[in-house]
Amino acid sequence: MKMTSPLPPPGKEMGHYVSEAPFDVMSIEKISPEQEKIYLAPQWKLMWWKFRQHRIAVWCGVFLAILYATIFISEFLAPYNIQTRNVDHIYSPPQQVHLFHEGEFVGPFVYRQQYKLNMETLKREYTKDTSKVDKIRFFCTGDTYHWWGLVEMETHLFCPANGGELFLLGTDRLGRDMFSRIMGGARISLTIGLLGVMVSFVLGIVIGGMAGYYGGWVDMVVQRMIEVLQSLPSIPLWLALAAIMPVTWSPLVVYFGITVILGLLDWTGLARAVRSKLFSLREEDYVMAAQLMGAKPSRIISLHLVPGFMSHLIATATIAIPTMILGETALSFLGLGLRPPITSWGVLLIEAQNINVVALYPWLMLPVVPVVLVILAFNFLGDGLRDAADPYK
Amino acid sequence: MLRYIAWRITVMVPTLLMISALVFTIIELPPGDYFESYVAELQAQGENVDLKAIEALKVQYGFDKPPVERYFHWVWGMLHGDFGYSFEYELPVTDVVGDRLWLTMLVSFVTIIFTWLVAFPIGIYSATHQYSWGDYGLTFVGLLGLATPNFLLALVFLYLANLWFGTSIGHLMDAQYFNEPMSWAKAKSIMEHLIIPVIIIGTAGTAGMIRRIRANLLDELQKQYVITARAKGLHPFKALMKYPLRMSMNFFISDIGSILPAIISGAEITAIVLSLETTGPLLIRALQAQDMYLAGSFLMFLAGLSVIGVLISDFALALLDPRIRLQGAHTK
Amino acid sequence: MMRCLRLALLTMLLVLGVQTNAFAMTFEETPYFSDLVKAGKIDPVARRVPQQPRIIDLAKIGREPGVHGGKLRMLMGSKKDVRMMVYYGYSRLVGYDLNYKLQPDILASYEVEDGRIFTLHLRPGHRWSDGAPLTAEDFRFAFEDVMLNKKLARGGLPNSMLVNGKGPKFTVIDELTVRYEWDAPNPQFLPALAAPLPLYLTYPSTYMKQFHADFIGKQAAEALAKERKYKHWRAMFIRLGRQNRPENPDLPTLEPWFNTIAPPSEQFVFKRNPYFHRVDSNGRQLPYIDTVEMNISSPNLIPAKTGAGESDLQGRYVSFEDYTFLKQSEKRQGYNVLLWKSAVGSKVAIRPNLNFKDDAWRAVMQDARFRQALSLGIDRHEINMVTFFGLGKEVADSPLMQSPLFDEEYASAWASHDPVLANRLLDQVGLTKRDDDGTRLLPDGRRAELIIETAGESTVETDVLQLITDHWQALGLKVFTRATQRDIFRSRLKAGNTMMSVWSGLDNAIPQPSMSPEELAPSNDSQTQWPQWGLYGMTDGKSGTEPDLASARRLLSMWQEWQQSRDDETRERIWNDMLKLYTSEVFSIGTVNSTLQPIVVSKKLHNVPKEEVYSFQPGSYFGVFMVDTFWFQDGLGSD
């Protein structure tokens, strides 16, 4: 190509020349197909790869996913209904599952329990009768239940042998199977956290977003609101709010009321985080560019700003869920919120809250194990998500 | 800057007023009032209830006036240092809270120190050995305290401590020291009884602190100056402690807002279960009984501390981080 | 000369004879006071007790005389429980003996004429705990300057002192005798004096006069009140003079122990009263125990603390559920767990609210057949087996066997398990239509869903309700339980918003004919089955609503008849009529009574009965069994 064309006369346009030679975009810097995958990967894929590095978080995620899936079939998975009473087996300790009986492989079974009342201490004593073998049945018929309140079913994953009982985690003071109760309680305990977090999520983003973006007096009002709410200790506030819930509400409505209350008081932390993030991001050039291009504030907030820290928000949310679960147990302790006959892990723990259980019937404290596991799982998951979402690593 | 300080202080006043209105509404909201429950309680004990005497009591404390009037009366009193009268204890509020305050602060301070002592090493180790098994393990231990419901833990600890060590159950000291003046024996008893509440309340707080130390430290350790320092031959420990750690202490400042009131009244549930003589159970009981002035004035006190704390932390943050523009939306 | 000597000797003996006690008993000085007596700060015991002390013959009631000394530790759940010492101490003008018969205690004797004229005789030389003498002036001061004082007693005289709305004529006969006279019989008077929470006829006037405006002048009284941080002198007087709640350490008392620590405090220490009027037959002034230490703690911790051996006498805040735990720690900790019988008409009783706001439900619940059906539908045997190990009695809400008014007819009224008859009765009431799932329908088409409210304090209640829910399911009634908080529970009841509630049965389940049958009639607005009618009965018709049901009206008029009765035969007849009507109408649905109450007693504490009935009314918990006669081995407490 030669630059030999003369300059055009003054006032006339310059000549315009476009080379027609083929041009390879990658000719300057060659990248391999693997590298291409990385550089052109969308944001969520990047997050996922980062997340996978945090192995524990992944396992926790799987664990939680399984747990939430079991909610749908909790009656099927449990050998008894949560209210099934067995007055002949009150306060019976957990039964051990054996595989070998007198040296022979028999399959999973439990030994039958003999009941005796110690007349001096009035304690119910249970001894294993090693002659009676109660084989555990699988995919069997047991207590009838209504699946999601609709279909009447009878099948359980596993049940006790006919004429025998199967108390994997013992029974409580009305002879109800603890394993079934814990499984049944999961439904309420796990979902109450989710709903509460959703409420606080929405509130936090909307209010925090407005404060962060507009600033000025909007920000001031919101800040004062947050201050007001945060300066009151949470437990008294819960107390007061729960005390005004009418007693005649059905348990389900009470349950929703509790989730709303828990969520209403928790949005402030999220709002503050959103607000401060927006404060710093607001100054970024791409925001200015969008503003110059005429984008509306709502579009800027939702399309440009929020995705920038959505991952951070999700991570915060997963850590807020355990607070809700613990909050539910705290409310039950104070005598508010969920009460028997509703079954949740909080209610089960409250019933175990006395010296008799600690000293004599410790298996009634087992609901604390799923609570701890779920909270740990959510925490690790949240840690992993947050690390993965952080663009600076 | 000075203008900002003056502005925030002026704004504090309406905030506190708003809080006081909120507190008053919250306490008045549940149906009934203290006198109703008082009457009911007397009747439960078989006492002859002199309804007219109760009416007279109500008039005496201004309960025959409309709520709005009572509210102003209360706020006016507080501005003069008169925190009102507790019906349940039949004493001025300040007398009721008095003794418990220093015990509460003792418990809180020891707990905070315990939390720092536990969280710091774990957080630093976690940050410097990210994703190792040590990291996971220690974080797990730290989280355990957070995850377990305190009330159950409290009861189990109490029982075991009594079974193994003979510690008397509950309270902050042995029964014989209750009304005795301070002495070495009494102090020793208090220390012995502090162990359980501090462990239970403290472990709940360590998880959050570990996480924050870890996150902040990780941020700092990425920075250029750390690499420069190491390149120049600074000892790794010094490179860790002298600069990055100090920079990541930012979050302490933003925490002041919430720590201040928590020192005065925190961990209500654990305190109730352990029967501690702190202000937490006092507040809860006052709310349940609708003991208006005790609950309201104490809540206002806590709220006031919180607002002041937030103010302090915002100032400090603004001083340290110029990124946070304070003048409102950026106009161009 | 001999005559002079003899005269002198005679005079000397006379003088000495007057100074020693009329009974010429030799008293043994209480070791607790021996130093003070030697220093001359306090009188020796012979002059501290009244000249005619009340002598408790312990051997006669099957107990051992004891020795002085020791500290009794107790655990309580709230600082208001200082009032427990008034119940446990049980020092009354007139009290109940071990058979719940009235006997003079503080009084030397009393006479009743025509059931309406009561003459009370004090013991000469009887002094208050601060040393001031107990005289008729204390009674006069109490009656004229306190009870009749419009400013101090705004509600007027208490009900037990009113007959037909009129108070008594009070006369001081002499320094040791007073008389109360009404126009018509007042059978409530003496039981009110013997009640756990007694009618106080006397105030320590020497002490209280210094706070009374009529004696020191209004200005001085107001100034004193302000100094002590009270709003008016009236509030000060009432607070400082509250004898039923010994919070004021300076208030003189006639009880065996007096409080030495003012609230707020986590611990209250009660010390022995040097002028207590009872002695044992060995000349030892009662009480045996020197101090009582009451430690306040969270109620939920008390079973644990008791099991750790921190209490020497514990009946409050421990329940049957804790028995196994307490029994297992027995040997390790050095106490015994006794099992007394809990004296309530029924451990758990359900009461339909006949004043419920909903018209349709009210009409159904006011039909006796409905209540009878509900009662027949309950399987009391299952409840007994599950909750009480089968150790209770499956009965209606009625008196226990220990009461002279017990009758098999009352106990078994509608208390069998007969779902067939129950269903038939429900059909007769008009609940014949049923929904698809078998739930009955009200006449207006709504489902018959019962909402039972509890104060949510007891797991026993929750458990029993759980069982009853299933029992009544078989009758076609769906049950929902709502647990609330005690304050909300009560206010909802009074407002008529509660359909049915759960509480314990009759408070006084070992009644004597001399005791008031007010629980069986609409007499109080805190009665959960008819709060509005109860208000009517309580205020003599001034507030509340008149009972709609003829049976309730009949009970009300029978109660009023009792209040005018002259003798015990009439009273017994009235009691039986009322019990028959009450149990046949099933105003309260009982389940199980005679349940067991664990009592923890230190191994070193003697004279605590092994098996007794534990009740507030009329037993005053331990009061009737005379806590002042409990004693520690070797006079040494547990620590």
Side-chain angles (χ1 to χ4, degrees):
Chain A
M1 206 189 71
K2 49 181 192 109
M3 282 287 277
T4 48
S5 40
L7 285 174
K12 275 288 192 88
E13 281 178 21
M14 282 258 309
H16 187 72
Y17 178 76
V18 177
S19 164
E20 267 143 54
F23 180 62
D24 182 10
V25 176
M26 302 296 183
S27 58
I28 315 295
E29 198 178 308
K30 271 235 177 295
I31 55 173
S32 61
E34 299 86 34
Q35 285 178 311
E36 186 174 317
K37 242 192 346 171
I38 297 180
Y39 288 141
L40 296 182
Q43 189 188 32
W44 66 266
K45 254 202 176 154
L46 285 172
M47 264 185 67
W48 170 245
W49 288 333
K50 193 89 200 300
F51 179 68
R52 264 196 334 210
Q53 277 192 329
H54 198 305
R55 275 166 308 168
I56 297 236
V58 177
W59 291 344
C60 287
V62 170
F63 169 69
L64 285 173
I66 294 179
L67 213 56
Y68 273 90
T70 61
I71 291 183
F72 291 97
I73 47 170
S74 55
E75 293 110 339
F76 170 71
L77 291 173
Y80 298 90
N81 281 348
I82 51 180
Q83 301 293 2
T84 311
R85 283 199 313 271
N86 197 320
V87 297
D88 296 320
H89 285 85
I90 295 180
Y91 282 137
S92 114
Q95 288 180 295
Q96 213 186 357
V97 176
H98 303 272
L99 291 172
F100 291 91
H101 174 61
E102 286 164 9
E104 261 184 63
F105 179 80
V106 179
F109 70 94
V110 291
Y111 286 118
R112 192 163 300 189
Q113 284 182 331
Q114 291 286 36
Y115 164 66
K116 194 172 64 99
L117 180 63
N118 179 329
M119 281 317 287
E120 201 200 301
T121 58
L122 289 183
K123 183 160 186 225
R124 293 179 164 94
E125 290 171 354
Y126 295 91
T127 41
K128 269 201 305 213
D129 182 351
T130 45
S131 62
K132 294 214 171 55
V133 168
D134 283 330
K135 279 178 68 165
I136 302 176
R137 296 176 290 146
F138 291 92
F139 289 103
C140 42
T141 40
D143 295 334
T144 38
Y145 57 89
H146 285 88
W147 191 67
W148 282 99
L150 302 166
V151 183
E152 186 171 316
M153 293 177 55
E154 268 185 339
T155 330
H156 294 264
L157 179 63
F158 63 96
C159 351
N162 278 320
E165 305 291 348
L166 176 63
F167 300 125
L168 287 175
L169 298 179
T171 61
D172 67 3
R173 62 178 194 277
L174 281 181
R176 295 176 291 203
D177 177 36
M178 283 309 288
F179 181 78
S180 311
R181 298 203 88 205
I182 293 179
M183 288 243 69
R187 195 170 267 175
I188 295 194
S189 294
L190 289 176
T191 48
I192 225 175
L194 288 183
L195 289 176
V197 161
M198 274 201 272
V199 170
S200 62
F201 216 63
V202 167
L203 279 175
I205 291 183
V206 167
I207 300 183
M210 286 201 310
Y213 187 76
Y214 287 110
W217 68 268
V218 173
D219 173 42
M220 209 195 64
V221 166
V222 168
Q223 268 214 293
R224 298 287 81 78
M225 231 180 12
I226 292 180
E227 237 177 71
V228 166
L229 276 181
Q230 277 193 329
S231 56
L232 295 170
S234 50
I235 292 188
L237 265 183
W238 284 340
L239 210 85
L241 285 174
I244 55 177
M245 280 203 307
V247 141
T248 45
W249 281 359
S250 83
L252 202 61
V253 185
V254 167
Y255 161 72
F256 278 119
I258 299 285
T259 58
V260 169
I261 289 176
L262 288 175
L264 265 180
L265 296 181
D266 214 49
W267 62 266
T268 50
L270 205 62
R272 273 198 123 191
V274 170
R275 172 183 167 271
S276 54
K277 268 287 194 312
L278 276 187
F279 263 151
S280 21
L281 287 181
R282 203 175 52 190
E283 313 299 332
E284 294 288 337
D285 288 339
Y286 65 85
V287 174
M288 177 162 49
Q291 281 173 325
L292 287 176
M293 296 215 296
K296 284 213 299 269
S298 58
R299 183 185 164 85
I300 298 183
I301 294 180
S302 53
L303 212 53
H304 298 291
L305 291 174
V306 167
F309 55 89
M310 185 51 123
S311 39
H312 172 86
L313 286 183
I314 292 181
T316 317
T318 42
I319 300 186
I321 296 180
T323 321
M324 301 269 169
I325 297 182
L326 282 175
E328 186 253 309
T329 53
L331 277 180
S332 295
F333 176 81
L334 291 172
L336 312 160
L338 303 171
R339 316 286 295 280
I342 307 177
T343 312
S344 76
W345 291 337
V347 169
L348 291 178
L349 285 176
I350 296 305
E351 295 189 342
Q353 170 72 1
N354 62 66
I355 191 68
N356 302 306
V357 166
V358 172
L360 301 169
Y361 319 117
W363 57 90
L364 290 179
M365 294 195 286
L366 283 175
V368 82
V369 172
V371 170
V372 170
L373 287 179
V374 166
I375 292 180
L376 284 177
F378 267 115
N379 269 299
F380 278 122
L381 182 66
D383 273 350
L385 278 178
R386 210 201 13 237
D387 280 352
D390 197 328
Y392 287 106
K393 306 256 176 58
Chain B
M1 193 65 201
L2 230 62
R3 223 193 68 179
Y4 179 68
I5 295 177
W7 169 244
R8 284 299 298 272
I9 292 186
T10 2
V11 160
M12 211 169 78
V13 172
T15 311
L16 283 174
L17 273 177
M18 240 197 326
I19 296 179
S20 70
L22 196 63
V23 164
F24 188 80
T25 331
I26 286 177
I27 297 181
E28 292 280 311
L29 217 43
D33 59 33
Y34 177 77
F35 296 101
E36 259 184 51
S37 25
Y38 180 59
V39 167
E41 199 183 325
L42 286 180
Q43 284 176 333
Q45 296 161 27
E47 275 188 48
N48 263 329
V49 179
D50 192 354
L51 286 172
K52 292 226 194 66
I54 306 284
E55 280 305 313
L57 259 180
K58 275 180 130 161
V59 173
Q60 190 175 355
Y61 293 115
F63 265 79
D64 53 337
K65 303 206 182 67
V68 182
E69 208 179 311
R70 270 189 284 134
Y71 166 70
F72 281 113
H73 192 77
W74 171 54
V75 173
W76 185 246
M78 277 201 296
L79 288 174
H80 286 90
D82 173 15
F83 284 98
Y85 190 77
S86 161
F87 305 127
E88 178 116 351
Y89 289 86
E90 289 174 315
L91 288 168
V93 170
T94 35
D95 286 357
V96 178
V97 176
D99 259 348
R100 294 190 166 226
L101 213 51
W102 82 263
L103 275 172
T104 314
M105 293 202 283
L106 177 68
V107 174
S108 305
F109 277 128
V110 177
T111 310
I112 291 177
I113 294 176
F114 171 82
T115 314
W116 283 356
L117 282 177
V118 172
F120 252 81
I122 295 183
I124 294 176
Y125 184 83
S126 267
T128 47
H129 298 81
Q130 206 182 5
Y131 297 141
S132 68
W133 284 113
D135 176 17
Y136 288 144
L138 285 173
T139 325
F140 176 83
V141 166
L143 277 176
L144 258 188
L146 174 70
T148 328
N150 280 353
F151 52 86
L152 208 56
L153 212 56
L155 200 55
V156 174
F157 277 17
L158 276 184
Y159 177 66
L160 292 176
N162 180 259
L163 204 59
W164 295 338
F165 306 119
T167 318
S168 77
I169 293 189
H171 299 285
L172 279 173
M173 61 190 96
D174 281 336
Q176 64 223 62
Y177 299 116
F178 273 142
N179 290 311
E180 305 262 320
M182 186 52 73
S183 64
W184 277 121
K186 182 170 177 176
K188 223 174 61 160
S189 183
I190 294 182
M191 284 299 135
E192 190 186 338
H193 284 257
L194 264 181
I195 297 179
I196 294 182
V198 163
I199 292 184
I200 294 179
I201 305 173
T203 46
T206 48
M209 187 157 275
I210 290 177
R211 177 176 290 125
R212 271 179 300 199
I213 294 180
R214 182 173 175 271
N216 280 312
L217 202 53
L218 280 174
D219 277 347
E220 287 303 317
L221 286 176
Q222 305 283 346
K223 300 228 172 108
Q224 285 293 320
Y225 72 86
V226 176
I227 303 179
T228 315
R230 292 295 307 279
K232 284 179 104 185
L234 194 58
H235 188 270
F237 187 69
K238 249 194 164 164
L240 175 65
M241 285 300 169
K242 197 155 180 207
Y243 299 106
L245 197 58
R246 275 159 49 182
M247 294 308 293
S248 55
M249 299 316 279
N250 250 1
F251 69 89
F252 272 162
I253 300 171
S254 53
D255 264 355
I256 294 181
S258 50
I259 281 191
L260 222 50
I263 292 182
I264 304 296
S265 157
E268 293 96 345
I269 289 191
T270 313
I272 290 179
V273 175
L274 295 175
S275 200
L276 301 178
E277 299 85 14
T278 57
T279 51
L282 196 68
L283 182 58
I284 300 288
R285 177 68 207 130
L287 281 169
Q288 283 172 334
Q290 290 192 286
D291 194 354
M292 172 63 221
Y293 293 115
L294 181 55
S297 303
F298 197 67
L299 277 176
M300 274 313 296
F301 180 54
L302 291 178
L305 280 180
S306 179
V307 170
I308 294 176
V310 165
L311 205 63
I312 296 179
S313 61
D314 271 359
F315 284 159
L317 266 175
L319 278 173
L320 291 171
D321 190 353
R323 263 198 322 169
I324 300 181
R325 308 269 171 106
L326 307 157
Q327 272 84 352
H330 199 95
T331 48
K332 274 227 174 119
Chain C
M1 175 61 175
M2 271 316 247
R3 245 186 76 199
C4 273
L5 264 176
R6 242 184 286 151
L7 210 60
L9 207 63
L10 217 64
T11 330
M12 218 169 51
L13 281 172
L14 223 77
V15 169
L16 282 174
V18 167
Q19 279 196 334
T20 54
N21 282 284
F23 287 85
M25 190 179 225
T26 31
F27 291 100
E28 194 180 303
E29 184 58 72
T30 317
Y32 187 82
F33 291 124
S34 36
D35 290 338
L36 286 173
V37 172
K38 282 205 195 78
K41 295 231 173 78
I42 206 173
D43 283 333
V45 58
R47 280 209 290 277
R48 291 203 311 268
V49 300
Q51 277 156 26
Q52 292 165 28
R54 183 170 160 215
I55 304 183
I56 312 281
D57 189 345
L58 286 166
K60 203 155 81 161
I61 51 175
R63 301 205 198 153
E64 336 156 43
V67 296
H68 285 129
K71 178 174 74 170
L72 185 72
R73 297 168 306 161
M74 282 197 271
L75 294 167
M76 288 294 166
S78 129
K79 59 157 197 49
K80 295 207 187 116
D81 286 335
V82 284
R83 60 194 157 97
M84 290 292 153
M85 283 312 290
V86 172
Y87 304 152
Y88 288 7
Y90 201 62
S91 171
R92 302 279 183 275
L93 291 172
V94 174
Y96 288 119
D97 67 9
L98 290 170
N99 297 314
Y100 302 102
K101 298 270 183 295
L102 292 163
Q103 66 179 358
D105 177 20
I106 293 177
L107 295 177
S109 63
Y110 65 91
E111 289 115 33
V112 185
E113 244 183 283
D114 203 24
R116 61 185 188 89
I117 306 179
F118 300 85
T119 316
L120 312 178
H121 301 273
L122 305 173
R123 297 176 190 274
H126 190 177
R127 293 193 255 178
W128 291 88
S129 59
D130 65 344
L134 173 68
T135 61
E137 170 58 19
D138 298 318
F139 286 78
R140 188 209 63 76
F141 173 74
F143 188 69
E144 289 173 9
D145 295 315
V146 182
M147 288 198 222
L148 289 182
N149 185 320
K150 288 279 181 299
K151 298 200 201 80
L152 288 174
R154 282 171 187 261
L157 289 172
N159 275 342
S160 48
M161 289 193 76
L162 294 172
V163 173
N164 297 330
K166 272 175 45 185
K169 190 175 83 161
F170 171 78
T171 23
V172 172
I173 311 280
D174 63 47
E175 207 178 280
L176 296 173
T177 325
V178 294
R179 175 174 295 156
Y180 297 86
E181 190 176 329
W182 283 271
D183 296 331
N186 186 358
Q188 294 187 84
F189 187 58
L190 292 178
L193 294 178
L197 197 54
L199 167 66
Y200 283 104
L201 288 181
T202 155
Y203 265 80
S205 54
T206 325
Y207 174 76
M208 292 308 296
K209 276 180 186 167
Q210 45 179 334
F211 304 109
H212 198 296
D214 290 352
F215 289 88
I216 58 172
K218 185 140 191 277
Q219 272 196 334
E222 291 292 355
L224 198 55
K226 239 172 214 48
E227 195 184 299
R228 289 180 174 237
K229 300 200 204 145
Y230 292 100
K231 290 232 160 103
H232 301 282
W233 74 268
R234 300 189 301 274
M236 174 179 69
F237 187 89
I238 293 177
R239 273 296 310 282
L240 292 178
R242 203 151 46 189
Q243 298 184 73
N244 61 324
R245 229 202 279 179
E247 287 173 340
N248 179 2
D250 299 323
L251 181 67
T253 178
L254 299 169
E255 296 281 341
W257 296 277
F258 63 92
N259 188 9
T260 56
I261 299 184
S265 169
E266 303 297 316
Q267 184 186 76
F268 296 98
V269 177
F270 292 80
K271 301 214 166 106
R272 57 159 69 247
N273 175 358
Y275 303 98
F276 194 54
H277 64 287
R278 296 186 206 160
V279 300
D280 74 356
S281 30
N282 290 336
R284 292 198 172 101
Q285 183 192 25
L286 295 173
Y288 288 126
I289 293 173
D290 288 334
T291 41
V292 177
E293 186 182 279
M294 186 183 284
N295 290 309
I296 312 292
S297 157
S298 276
N300 63 303
L301 270 190
I302 291 184
K305 289 167 84 75
T306 314
E310 293 181 26
S311 174
D312 296 319
L313 180 67
Q314 196 68 32
R316 289 277 284 171
Y317 301 105
V318 288
S319 64
F320 187 58
E321 302 178 299
D322 307 315
Y323 179 71
T324 311
F325 167 69
L326 292 172
K327 193 83 182 154
Q328 288 196 326
S329 312
E330 233 187 10
K331 291 186 188 47
R332 202 160 44 97
Q333 300 295 354
Y335 60 77
N336 287 322
V337 186
L338 308 173
L339 277 177
W340 286 14
K341 292 229 174 1
S342 175
V344 281
S346 171
K347 189 76 179 158
V348 174
I350 302 182
R351 293 195 179 89
N353 182 2
L354 302 174
N355 295 143
F356 185 43
K357 276 199 181 134
D358 184 308
D359 294 328
W361 267 117
R362 202 174 53 241
V364 168
M365 291 198 287
Q366 286 192 359
D367 187 332
R369 290 171 298 187
F370 180 72
R371 303 189 297 269
Q372 289 159 349
L374 288 182
S375 183
L376 287 174
I378 297 180
D379 183 357
R380 290 174 174 80
H381 184 69
E382 187 185 12
I383 295 177
N384 195 4
M385 292 306 297
V386 170
T387 335
F388 305 112
F389 293 102
L391 298 170
K393 297 229 177 315
E394 298 145 27
V395 290
D397 186 6
S398 56
L400 267 58
M401 276 196 322
Q402 285 84 350
S403 163
L405 294 166
F406 169 79
D407 192 311
E408 190 59 46
E409 186 192 334
Y410 312 143
S412 59
W414 301 99
S416 53
H417 181 53
D418 194 342
V420 171
L421 177 54
N423 272 310
R424 235 200 353 244
L425 283 172
L426 287 176
D427 290 333
Q428 282 175 17
V429 171
L431 303 173
T432 40
K433 290 204 280 290
R434 298 222 189 195
D435 207 352
D436 308 324
D437 61 356
T439 315
R440 290 178 188 265
L441 298 175
L442 289 176
D444 62 6
R446 284 181 295 164
R447 282 160 63 89
E449 292 180 342
L450 300 169
I451 300 183
I452 307 187
E453 295 186 25
T454 97
E457 294 172 8
S458 132
T459 44
V460 174
E461 277 179 6
T462 324
D463 291 346
V464 172
L465 278 175
Q466 184 77 0
L467 298 172
I468 292 183
T469 306
D470 292 340
H471 300 159
W472 285 352
Q473 181 103 328
L475 299 181
L477 298 167
K478 239 177 142 38
V479 175
F480 294 100
T481 18
R482 297 272 183 274
T484 59
Q485 256 221 322
R486 202 195 268 221
D487 306 317
I488 305 180
F489 177 68
R490 289 194 201 277
S491 57
R492 280 181 57 80
L493 267 167
K494 295 224 178 116
N497 291 324
T498 313
M499 187 193 291
M500 277 199 203
S501 60
V502 175
W503 200 249
S504 50
L506 290 175
D507 221 9
N508 182 351
I510 38 174
Q512 304 278 324
S514 60
M515 300 175 188
S516 166
E518 58 195 14
E519 282 194 86
L520 301 174
S523 60
N524 196 308
D525 70 342
S526 64
Q527 288 172 308
T528 57
Q529 68 271 41
W530 46 46
Q532 286 301 316
W533 299 348
L535 184 58
Y536 181 84
M538 193 164 94
T539 55
D540 272 330
K542 293 198 200 76
S543 341
T545 36
E546 193 184 349
D548 305 323
L549 283 182
S551 45
R553 280 199 299 274
R554 177 120 182 73
L555 286 171
L556 184 57
S557 66
M558 284 202 276
W559 175 47
Q560 284 159 348
E561 200 189 322
W562 183 93
Q563 288 174 316
Q564 293 157 2
S565 58
R566 282 193 153 75
D567 53 70
D568 274 346
E569 285 89 41
T570 325
R571 295 184 195 129
E572 194 171 328
R573 180 189 51 78
I574 297 176
W575 260 102
N576 277 311
D577 288 342
M578 288 179 83
L579 278 172
K580 194 160 168 164
L581 186 53
Y582 189 81
T583 48
S584 64
E585 287 281 321
V586 196
F587 285 121
S588 161
I589 305 174
T591 51
V592 179
N593 73 15
S594 300
T595 55
L596 300 173
Q597 166 69 42
I599 307 283
V600 170
V601 182
S602 160
K603 278 201 169 73
K604 298 205 210 153
L605 193 61
H606 293 254
N607 273 353
V608 182
K610 286 262 169 339
E611 243 180 53
E612 261 296 349
V613 176
Y614 187 72
S615 68
F616 177 59
Q617 291 270 30
S620 197
Y621 296 129
F622 297 117
V624 160
F625 309 110
M626 294 186 286
V627 182
D628 52 310
T629 62
F630 297 174
W631 57 281
F632 276 111
Q633 186 73 35
D634 302 325
L636 297 168
S638 304
D639 54 2

